[in-house]
Short mmCIF file of all heavy atoms in Angstrom, two decimals:
data_model
loop_
_atom_site.label_atom_id
_atom_site.label_comp_id
_atom_site.label_asym_id
_atom_site.label_seq_id
_atom_site.Cartn_x
_atom_site.Cartn_y
_atom_site.Cartn_z
N ASP A 1 8.27 12.86 6.59
CA ASP A 1 9.61 13.37 6.30
C ASP A 1 10.34 12.49 5.30
O ASP A 1 10.36 11.26 5.44
CB ASP A 1 10.44 13.47 7.58
CG ASP A 1 9.90 14.52 8.53
OD1 ASP A 1 9.28 15.48 8.04
OD2 ASP A 1 10.10 14.38 9.75
N ASP A 2 10.95 13.13 4.32
CA ASP A 2 11.79 12.41 3.36
C ASP A 2 13.20 12.98 3.34
O ASP A 2 13.95 12.78 2.40
CB ASP A 2 11.19 12.49 1.96
CG ASP A 2 11.22 13.91 1.40
OD1 ASP A 2 11.20 14.86 2.20
OD2 ASP A 2 11.26 14.06 0.16
N GLY A 3 13.55 13.69 4.41
CA GLY A 3 14.87 14.33 4.49
C GLY A 3 14.81 15.79 4.11
O GLY A 3 15.74 16.55 4.35
N ASP A 4 13.70 16.23 3.51
CA ASP A 4 13.51 17.62 3.13
C ASP A 4 12.10 18.03 3.55
O ASP A 4 11.12 17.67 2.91
CB ASP A 4 13.68 17.79 1.61
CG ASP A 4 13.65 19.26 1.18
OD1 ASP A 4 13.23 20.11 2.00
OD2 ASP A 4 14.03 19.54 0.04
N THR A 5 12.02 18.78 4.64
CA THR A 5 10.72 19.14 5.20
C THR A 5 9.89 20.03 4.27
O THR A 5 8.68 20.16 4.45
CB THR A 5 10.89 19.85 6.55
OG1 THR A 5 11.73 21.00 6.37
CG2 THR A 5 11.53 18.93 7.58
N THR A 6 10.51 20.61 3.26
CA THR A 6 9.79 21.48 2.33
C THR A 6 8.72 20.72 1.58
O THR A 6 7.65 21.26 1.26
CB THR A 6 10.77 22.11 1.31
OG1 THR A 6 11.81 22.78 2.02
CG2 THR A 6 10.05 23.10 0.41
N TYR A 7 9.00 19.46 1.28
CA TYR A 7 8.09 18.66 0.46
C TYR A 7 7.43 17.54 1.26
O TYR A 7 7.00 16.55 0.67
CB TYR A 7 8.85 18.09 -0.74
CG TYR A 7 9.47 19.13 -1.62
CD1 TYR A 7 10.84 19.39 -1.57
CD2 TYR A 7 8.69 19.87 -2.49
CE1 TYR A 7 11.42 20.36 -2.37
CE2 TYR A 7 9.25 20.85 -3.30
CZ TYR A 7 10.62 21.09 -3.23
OH TYR A 7 11.18 22.06 -4.03
N ARG A 8 7.36 17.68 2.57
CA ARG A 8 6.88 16.57 3.40
C ARG A 8 5.43 16.20 3.11
O ARG A 8 5.04 15.05 3.23
CB ARG A 8 7.07 16.88 4.88
CG ARG A 8 6.24 18.03 5.41
CD ARG A 8 6.78 18.48 6.78
NE ARG A 8 6.98 17.36 7.70
CZ ARG A 8 6.07 16.95 8.58
NH1 ARG A 8 4.91 17.58 8.64
NH2 ARG A 8 6.32 15.94 9.37
N TYR A 9 4.61 17.18 2.67
CA TYR A 9 3.19 16.90 2.40
C TYR A 9 3.00 16.27 1.03
O TYR A 9 2.26 15.28 0.89
CB TYR A 9 2.37 18.18 2.52
CG TYR A 9 2.53 18.85 3.86
CD1 TYR A 9 3.29 20.00 4.00
CD2 TYR A 9 1.95 18.30 5.01
CE1 TYR A 9 3.47 20.61 5.23
CE2 TYR A 9 2.12 18.90 6.25
CZ TYR A 9 2.89 20.06 6.36
OH TYR A 9 3.07 20.63 7.59
N SER A 10 3.67 16.80 0.02
CA SER A 10 3.56 16.21 -1.32
C SER A 10 4.23 14.84 -1.35
O SER A 10 3.76 13.92 -2.04
CB SER A 10 4.19 17.13 -2.37
OG SER A 10 5.55 17.39 -2.08
N PHE A 11 5.32 14.69 -0.59
CA PHE A 11 5.98 13.38 -0.52
C PHE A 11 5.05 12.36 0.14
O PHE A 11 4.93 11.23 -0.32
CB PHE A 11 7.29 13.47 0.27
CG PHE A 11 7.92 12.13 0.51
CD1 PHE A 11 8.60 11.48 -0.52
CD2 PHE A 11 7.83 11.50 1.74
CE1 PHE A 11 9.17 10.22 -0.31
CE2 PHE A 11 8.39 10.25 1.96
CZ PHE A 11 9.06 9.61 0.93
N ALA A 12 4.38 12.77 1.21
CA ALA A 12 3.46 11.86 1.90
C ALA A 12 2.34 11.43 0.98
O ALA A 12 1.95 10.25 0.94
CB ALA A 12 2.88 12.55 3.14
N LEU A 13 1.80 12.36 0.19
CA LEU A 13 0.73 12.03 -0.76
C LEU A 13 1.21 11.02 -1.80
O LEU A 13 0.55 10.01 -2.05
CB LEU A 13 0.24 13.31 -1.45
CG LEU A 13 -0.78 13.11 -2.57
CD1 LEU A 13 -2.05 12.45 -2.04
CD2 LEU A 13 -1.11 14.46 -3.23
N SER A 14 2.38 11.29 -2.39
CA SER A 14 2.92 10.40 -3.43
C SER A 14 3.27 9.04 -2.85
O SER A 14 2.93 7.99 -3.44
CB SER A 14 4.16 11.02 -4.06
OG SER A 14 3.86 12.27 -4.64
N PHE A 15 3.94 9.04 -1.70
CA PHE A 15 4.38 7.79 -1.09
C PHE A 15 3.18 6.94 -0.68
O PHE A 15 3.15 5.72 -0.91
CB PHE A 15 5.25 8.10 0.12
CG PHE A 15 5.87 6.89 0.76
CD1 PHE A 15 6.98 6.29 0.18
CD2 PHE A 15 5.37 6.35 1.93
CE1 PHE A 15 7.56 5.16 0.76
CE2 PHE A 15 5.93 5.24 2.51
CZ PHE A 15 7.03 4.64 1.92
N ALA A 16 2.18 7.58 -0.07
CA ALA A 16 0.99 6.84 0.37
C ALA A 16 0.21 6.30 -0.83
O ALA A 16 -0.27 5.16 -0.80
CB ALA A 16 0.11 7.74 1.22
N ALA A 17 0.07 7.10 -1.87
CA ALA A 17 -0.70 6.67 -3.05
C ALA A 17 -0.04 5.47 -3.72
O ALA A 17 -0.71 4.49 -4.08
CB ALA A 17 -0.82 7.83 -4.03
N ILE A 18 1.27 5.54 -3.89
CA ILE A 18 2.00 4.44 -4.53
C ILE A 18 1.89 3.17 -3.70
O ILE A 18 1.66 2.07 -4.22
CB ILE A 18 3.47 4.83 -4.75
CG1 ILE A 18 3.56 5.85 -5.88
CG2 ILE A 18 4.33 3.61 -5.07
CD1 ILE A 18 4.93 6.47 -6.05
N ASN A 19 2.01 3.31 -2.39
CA ASN A 19 1.97 2.13 -1.53
C ASN A 19 0.55 1.59 -1.35
O ASN A 19 0.38 0.40 -1.08
CB ASN A 19 2.61 2.44 -0.18
CG ASN A 19 4.13 2.33 -0.25
OD1 ASN A 19 4.68 1.24 -0.30
ND2 ASN A 19 4.79 3.48 -0.30
N LEU A 20 -0.45 2.44 -1.49
CA LEU A 20 -1.82 1.94 -1.47
C LEU A 20 -2.08 1.06 -2.69
O LEU A 20 -2.71 -0.01 -2.58
CB LEU A 20 -2.82 3.10 -1.43
CG LEU A 20 -4.30 2.71 -1.44
CD1 LEU A 20 -4.64 1.82 -0.25
CD2 LEU A 20 -5.19 3.96 -1.45
N VAL A 21 -1.58 1.49 -3.84
CA VAL A 21 -1.71 0.68 -5.05
C VAL A 21 -0.94 -0.63 -4.89
O VAL A 21 -1.45 -1.72 -5.18
CB VAL A 21 -1.20 1.45 -6.29
CG1 VAL A 21 -1.16 0.53 -7.52
CG2 VAL A 21 -2.07 2.67 -6.56
N TYR A 22 0.31 -0.52 -4.39
CA TYR A 22 1.12 -1.72 -4.19
C TYR A 22 0.44 -2.70 -3.23
O TYR A 22 0.33 -3.90 -3.51
CB TYR A 22 2.50 -1.35 -3.63
CG TYR A 22 3.18 -2.52 -2.95
CD1 TYR A 22 3.79 -3.53 -3.71
CD2 TYR A 22 3.17 -2.65 -1.56
CE1 TYR A 22 4.37 -4.61 -3.09
CE2 TYR A 22 3.74 -3.74 -0.94
CZ TYR A 22 4.35 -4.72 -1.71
OH TYR A 22 4.91 -5.81 -1.10
N ALA A 23 0.00 -2.18 -2.09
CA ALA A 23 -0.61 -3.04 -1.07
C ALA A 23 -1.88 -3.71 -1.58
O ALA A 23 -2.13 -4.89 -1.30
CB ALA A 23 -0.92 -2.22 0.19
N THR A 24 -2.66 -2.98 -2.37
CA THR A 24 -3.89 -3.57 -2.92
C THR A 24 -3.56 -4.65 -3.93
O THR A 24 -4.23 -5.69 -3.99
CB THR A 24 -4.76 -2.47 -3.57
OG1 THR A 24 -5.04 -1.45 -2.60
CG2 THR A 24 -6.07 -3.04 -4.08
N MET A 25 -2.52 -4.45 -4.72
CA MET A 25 -2.08 -5.47 -5.67
C MET A 25 -1.68 -6.74 -4.92
O MET A 25 -1.96 -7.85 -5.36
CB MET A 25 -0.89 -4.96 -6.49
CG MET A 25 -1.26 -3.92 -7.54
SD MET A 25 0.19 -3.09 -8.24
CE MET A 25 1.13 -4.47 -8.87
N GLU A 26 -1.01 -6.57 -3.79
CA GLU A 26 -0.60 -7.74 -3.00
C GLU A 26 -1.81 -8.40 -2.36
O GLU A 26 -1.92 -9.63 -2.34
CB GLU A 26 0.40 -7.31 -1.92
CG GLU A 26 1.01 -8.48 -1.19
CD GLU A 26 2.06 -8.08 -0.18
OE1 GLU A 26 2.79 -7.08 -0.41
OE2 GLU A 26 2.14 -8.75 0.86
N GLU A 27 -2.73 -7.60 -1.84
CA GLU A 27 -3.87 -8.14 -1.10
C GLU A 27 -4.91 -8.81 -1.99
O GLU A 27 -5.70 -9.62 -1.50
CB GLU A 27 -4.52 -7.05 -0.26
CG GLU A 27 -3.65 -6.52 0.87
CD GLU A 27 -3.22 -7.59 1.85
OE1 GLU A 27 -3.88 -8.65 1.91
OE2 GLU A 27 -2.22 -7.39 2.56
N ILE A 28 -4.95 -8.49 -3.27
CA ILE A 28 -5.89 -9.19 -4.14
C ILE A 28 -5.56 -10.68 -4.19
O ILE A 28 -6.43 -11.52 -4.40
CB ILE A 28 -5.91 -8.59 -5.57
CG1 ILE A 28 -7.08 -9.17 -6.37
CG2 ILE A 28 -4.61 -8.86 -6.29
CD1 ILE A 28 -7.22 -8.60 -7.77
N GLY A 29 -4.28 -11.00 -3.95
CA GLY A 29 -3.89 -12.39 -3.89
C GLY A 29 -4.18 -13.03 -2.55
O GLY A 29 -4.92 -14.01 -2.46
N TRP A 30 -3.61 -12.46 -1.49
CA TRP A 30 -3.72 -13.08 -0.16
C TRP A 30 -5.15 -13.06 0.37
O TRP A 30 -5.63 -14.04 0.91
CB TRP A 30 -2.78 -12.38 0.82
CG TRP A 30 -1.36 -12.47 0.40
CD1 TRP A 30 -0.53 -11.43 0.11
CD2 TRP A 30 -0.59 -13.66 0.21
NE1 TRP A 30 0.71 -11.90 -0.26
CE2 TRP A 30 0.70 -13.26 -0.21
CE3 TRP A 30 -0.87 -15.03 0.34
CZ2 TRP A 30 1.70 -14.19 -0.49
CZ3 TRP A 30 0.13 -15.94 0.06
CH2 TRP A 30 1.40 -15.52 -0.34
N ARG A 31 -5.81 -11.92 0.26
CA ARG A 31 -7.17 -11.83 0.78
C ARG A 31 -8.21 -12.05 -0.32
O ARG A 31 -9.22 -12.71 -0.12
CB ARG A 31 -7.37 -10.47 1.44
CG ARG A 31 -7.31 -10.46 2.93
CD ARG A 31 -6.12 -11.18 3.57
NE ARG A 31 -4.83 -10.54 3.37
CZ ARG A 31 -3.72 -10.90 4.01
NH1 ARG A 31 -3.73 -11.90 4.87
NH2 ARG A 31 -2.59 -10.27 3.78
N GLY A 32 -7.98 -11.50 -1.51
CA GLY A 32 -8.96 -11.61 -2.58
C GLY A 32 -9.11 -13.02 -3.13
O GLY A 32 -10.18 -13.39 -3.60
N TYR A 33 -8.03 -13.81 -3.08
CA TYR A 33 -8.15 -15.19 -3.55
C TYR A 33 -7.95 -16.22 -2.44
O TYR A 33 -8.84 -17.02 -2.15
CB TYR A 33 -7.15 -15.48 -4.68
CG TYR A 33 -7.20 -16.94 -5.09
CD1 TYR A 33 -8.31 -17.46 -5.76
CD2 TYR A 33 -6.16 -17.81 -4.76
CE1 TYR A 33 -8.38 -18.80 -6.10
CE2 TYR A 33 -6.22 -19.16 -5.09
CZ TYR A 33 -7.34 -19.65 -5.76
OH TYR A 33 -7.42 -20.99 -6.08
N VAL A 34 -6.78 -16.20 -1.79
CA VAL A 34 -6.44 -17.29 -0.86
C VAL A 34 -7.38 -17.36 0.33
O VAL A 34 -7.77 -18.44 0.76
CB VAL A 34 -4.97 -17.14 -0.39
CG1 VAL A 34 -4.62 -18.27 0.57
CG2 VAL A 34 -4.02 -17.15 -1.57
N GLN A 35 -7.77 -16.21 0.87
CA GLN A 35 -8.64 -16.23 2.05
C GLN A 35 -9.98 -16.90 1.75
O GLN A 35 -10.53 -17.62 2.59
CB GLN A 35 -8.85 -14.82 2.60
CG GLN A 35 -9.57 -14.79 3.94
CD GLN A 35 -9.31 -13.52 4.73
OE1 GLN A 35 -8.19 -13.02 4.78
NE2 GLN A 35 -10.34 -12.98 5.34
N ASP A 36 -10.51 -16.67 0.57
CA ASP A 36 -11.74 -17.36 0.16
C ASP A 36 -11.48 -18.81 -0.22
O ASP A 36 -12.27 -19.69 0.09
CB ASP A 36 -12.40 -16.64 -1.02
CG ASP A 36 -13.41 -15.59 -0.58
OD1 ASP A 36 -13.90 -15.67 0.56
OD2 ASP A 36 -13.72 -14.70 -1.39
N ALA A 37 -10.36 -19.06 -0.90
CA ALA A 37 -10.05 -20.42 -1.35
C ALA A 37 -9.90 -21.39 -0.18
O ALA A 37 -10.23 -22.57 -0.30
CB ALA A 37 -8.78 -20.41 -2.20
N LEU A 38 -9.41 -20.89 0.95
CA LEU A 38 -9.18 -21.73 2.13
C LEU A 38 -10.32 -21.64 3.14
O LEU A 38 -10.20 -22.14 4.26
CB LEU A 38 -7.86 -21.33 2.81
CG LEU A 38 -6.58 -21.50 1.99
CD1 LEU A 38 -5.38 -21.07 2.81
CD2 LEU A 38 -6.41 -22.95 1.53
N ARG A 39 -11.44 -21.05 2.76
CA ARG A 39 -12.53 -20.83 3.71
C ARG A 39 -13.07 -22.10 4.37
O ARG A 39 -13.51 -22.05 5.52
CB ARG A 39 -13.67 -20.06 3.03
CG ARG A 39 -14.72 -19.53 4.00
CD ARG A 39 -15.63 -18.54 3.33
NE ARG A 39 -14.91 -17.34 2.93
CZ ARG A 39 -14.61 -16.34 3.75
NH1 ARG A 39 -14.97 -16.39 5.02
NH2 ARG A 39 -13.97 -15.29 3.31
N PRO A 40 -13.06 -23.25 3.71
CA PRO A 40 -13.53 -24.46 4.40
C PRO A 40 -12.72 -24.81 5.65
O PRO A 40 -13.19 -25.55 6.51
CB PRO A 40 -13.40 -25.55 3.33
CG PRO A 40 -13.58 -24.80 2.04
CD PRO A 40 -12.88 -23.49 2.26
#
């Protein structure tokens, strides 16, 4: 829901896609680099 149930499915697709990109950008640092860098 984004306040308008008419677009709840297209909103979910757009919101999820954007946040998947955002989250992956963030995780390339924390998990993609730091988690390996601190492995010892």
Side-chain angles (χ1 to χ4, degrees):
D1 293 333
D2 67 333
D4 186 346
T5 56
T6 305
Y7 301 104
R8 65 195 311 266
Y9 304 105
S10 58
F11 174 76
L13 174 61
S14 300
F15 186 78
I18 288 171
N19 278 285
L20 178 59
V21 172
Y22 159 77
T24 303
M25 287 168 57
E26 187 176 327
E27 293 302 339
I28 190 177
W30 300 119
R31 258 49 69 170
Y33 175 69
V34 180
Q35 189 157 319
D36 268 339
L38 297 180
R39 192 167 295 279

